[in-house]
Amino acid sequence: MATQMTTGLIHDIFSGEPNLTTTERAVSVAIGLGMAAAAAQPRPNKFLSLAALVVGVGLALRGATGHCAMKAAAQRL
């Protein structure tokens, strides 16, 4: 069951129907790019910079595709 759920979420991330409004998409892209840019600055804690970069790219991807896997999963419940 866990494998099926994981496979479904991976499929949702890249090929799901758009489920975000235009405002949600714009905010995700803006915040994601801002976080990614902030993560590119030299910092003493490299792991924190990496985490900010990963989250920023994820948000930007969410906004660019218009699909949020977490929102889709919550709507299924």
Side-chain angles (χ1 to χ4, degrees):
M1 182 171 153
T3 304
Q4 185 180 23
M5 185 176 195
T6 303
T7 304
L9 286 176
I10 290 171
H11 176 74
D12 282 346
I13 290 171
F14 295 106
S15 62
E17 291 291 319
N19 61 355
L20 298 175
T21 66
T22 303
T23 303
E24 288 172 322
R25 291 179 75 169
V27 169
S28 285
V29 169
I31 291 174
L33 292 177
M35 284 185 74
Q41 301 298 318
R43 306 236 186 262
N45 188 339
K46 302 294 183 192
F47 293 112
L48 186 59
S49 292
L50 180 61
L53 179 64
V54 168
V55 171
V57 168
L59 283 171
L61 180 64
R62 174 185 185 257
T65 62
H67 181 74
C68 178
M70 296 303 290
K71 189 172 183 178
Q75 290 172 344
R76 287 185 195 152
L77 295 178

